[in-house]
Amino acid sequence: MHRPLYRYFLTLLTALVVAQAPLASAHAAPIGAASLLDHESNPTTLADHRGRVLVVNFWATWCPPCVHEMPMLGTLQQLYSKHGLTVLAVSVDGDPNLAKKFLRQHKLQHLPLYFDPGQRTMRQYNMPRLPTTIIIARGGHEVNRVEGIINWLAPEVHAELQSLLREPPPLSGAGAVGQSRNLGGGIRR
């Protein structure tokens, strides 16, 4: 008898958490310098992806909201990768094999997998919780940040991403990495 009530409150609590995911848009640190490890443990930076729109998702296998949004992020990667958008799944799991196994089990191997050992990049760029997703324009500057989860398949999210994809890629050496601009709150929680 108490089981349905428990499920109701759990669903309600999840909905409230999703609805309250704050959106920030101005962060001063040059995001292109973020140092990560790729799936083979080679050092890389976000600047290596300059010219593409990036959806950089910091997540962990032990984080229920992170796990909930991974299939949606996988769908974004499938829909937009040919158009110049890349979703980077940046795991903060202590053991990289946990994230690799998770992506395999959930048929999300198409998501580029990176690692943030010791959560150094999360701390450097003031990301206090998981999941946190940073959206970076083709020129290498952060345009939006989502702390918590949102519906990545919502029409307004797609409209915002398509708008970013319509922007021309920067000329070689042009554009300042790390400059943020406000998209007018186009991505809603």
Side-chain angles (χ1 to χ4, degrees):
M1 180 164 186
H2 290 48
R3 196 82 157 145
L5 189 58
Y6 170 78
R7 285 186 184 154
Y8 169 78
F9 283 115
L10 185 60
T11 303
L12 181 62
L13 178 62
T14 302
L16 288 172
V17 169
V18 171
Q20 296 301 316
L23 181 67
S25 61
H27 298 276
I31 201 70
S35 178
L36 303 168
L37 297 178
D38 69 13
H39 68 283
E40 295 176 344
S41 297
N42 298 314
T44 186
T45 67
L46 295 179
D48 295 338
H49 299 277
R50 192 177 191 96
R52 296 188 64 80
V53 173
L54 298 179
V55 176
V56 186
N57 178 260
F58 288 81
W59 70 288
T61 58
W62 45 261
C63 165
C66 301
V67 169
H68 176 77
E69 74 177 356
M70 290 307 286
M72 291 184 282
L73 292 166
T75 299
L76 284 185
Q77 175 69 13
Q78 289 177 319
L79 289 173
Y80 293 110
S81 64
K82 293 178 182 171
H83 303 286
L85 181 139
T86 301
V87 176
L88 302 179
V90 182
S91 172
V92 299
D93 284 296
D95 179 358
N97 291 319
L98 293 173
K100 290 176 184 179
K101 181 180 177 183
F102 176 89
L103 292 184
R104 236 184 354 266
Q105 287 178 335
H106 292 87
K107 296 181 174 47
L108 294 169
Q109 300 96 316
H110 58 280
L111 279 174
L113 182 59
Y114 291 82
F115 301 98
D116 182 15
Q119 300 181 12
R120 289 185 306 238
T121 301
M122 279 192 70
R123 284 194 304 277
Q124 181 180 358
Y125 295 100
N126 193 27
M127 296 180 225
R129 68 182 191 164
L130 292 176
T132 294
T133 305
I134 299 171
I135 301 172
I136 301 172
R138 291 182 187 268
H141 55 278
E142 179 178 334
V143 293
N144 266 318
R145 181 178 293 209
V146 178
E147 295 176 349
I149 64 174
I150 63 171
N151 179 0
W152 291 103
L153 303 179
E156 58 270 18
V157 173
H158 287 269
E160 201 63 64
L161 294 174
Q162 290 167 359
S163 173
L164 287 170
L165 287 167
R166 283 192 293 275
E167 293 179 7
L171 299 174
S172 181
V177 174
Q179 292 181 354
S180 295
R181 68 184 173 94
N182 188 339
L183 291 180
I187 297 178
R188 303 271 184 230
R189 38 181 197 265

